[in-house]
Amino acid sequence: MQRVLSGIQPSGDVHLGNLLGALQNWVADQHTHESFHPIVDLHAVTVPQDPAELQTATLRLAQMLMASGLDPDICVLFVQSHVPEHTQLAWVLECTAGFGELRRMHQFKDKSADMDFVCAGLFTYPVLQAADIVLYDTDVVPVGDDQRQHIELTRDITQRFNARYGEVLVVPEHRIPPAGARVMDLQEPTRKMSKSADEAPGTIWLLDEPDTVRRKIRRAVTDSEAEVRFDREAKPGVSNLLEILGAATGRSPQEVAAGYDRYGELKNGCAEAVVELLAPIRRRFDELSTDPGETQRALAAGAETAGEIATATMARVREAMGFLPRG
Ligand code: TRP
């Protein structure tokens, strides 16, 4: 079985775009791959975090992922900071990565552009990400195009490491995941649904109450025509509703479009499909948050499994690099 790994930051809640765009792929992958999913809290602290909130957000994200269908019995779900080898390997890889290489990372340039204080960790963030991947002999990293440069960097660093020290690390491949739905903001359907939208009338959260979901979809921006047709350029709002309804019910947006003449009906159909999709997730999340012990045990077991592999990889790395074994 191929090993896939993809991390997620514990910042903000999970929204419908995350679920239909990425999470559903992860849930499917866990049956056909050895799946690793670290909750990357060490990456989160590259920008200021409130300690109490970080802790809450980390557990909550784990609960949200499990509620959405990630099954800790068949995938490895864990918290990055529970496995200290991530930062150990990151250090070693920082000594393999070039300063100039890191300076070219688009995400760093974008994120740091309007910050007063840029910590060094934000700059070396992609190397920690490389460590996350390489630590588990990962074959494939299924992440979106925005992460392409980080995965290429991971490959470059890993190859350089191997050229220096022998074939110690597995060089991972990038795979653009099978097109998950591209869910756009309901109020501004030309930009992706996001966590940062202030009041978030255009974002549907996984835990939104049914009536909130209905209200947000009813108020979604459409256009002044009256024709239901999938055309992202000319009709971004309507196309977004078609895409969401399609993804929620396992159909293509074009197929969905054939069944509707009027915007009002499309909105109702879309709202009910999303309510139905989210109902079991909300139910399961409620159970998990009533008994946090279950999630904590799952994360501990995940860290245990991850830790065994991580220890073996680090032992190989230390030996290859000539660090004196502790006697
Ligand atoms: N940088 C990724 C993001 O911003 C998160 C991430 C951290 C990640 N480590 C990873 C993704 C390892 C894939 C593999 O979304």
Side-chain angles (χ1 to χ4, degrees), residues 164-180:
R164 238 178 243 172
Y165 299 110
E167 295 300 309
V168 178
L169 302 174
V170 173
V171 181
E173 306 269 343
H174 181 206
R175 189 185 78 204
I176 299 278

Side-chain angles (χ1 to χ4, degrees), residues 115-176:
M115 284 167 60
D116 307 330
F117 176 80
V118 177
C119 76
L122 189 67
F123 184 68
T124 57
Y125 175 115
V127 187
L128 180 59
Q129 179 167 351
D132 299 341
I133 297 167
V134 171
L135 197 50
Y136 300 103
D137 299 331
T138 300
D139 299 301
V140 178
V141 189
V143 285
D145 206 41
D146 62 318
Q147 293 296 311
R148 178 189 295 279
Q149 208 189 18
H150 288 169
I151 309 308
E152 266 159 26
L153 176 80
T154 303
R155 291 172 52 83
D156 290 344
I157 307 178
T158 310
Q159 279 160 348
R160 194 175 305 141
F161 185 95
N162 285 348
R164 238 178 243 172
Y165 299 110
E167 295 300 309
V168 178
L169 302 174
V170 173
V171 181
E173 306 269 343
H174 181 206
R175 189 185 78 204
I176 299 278

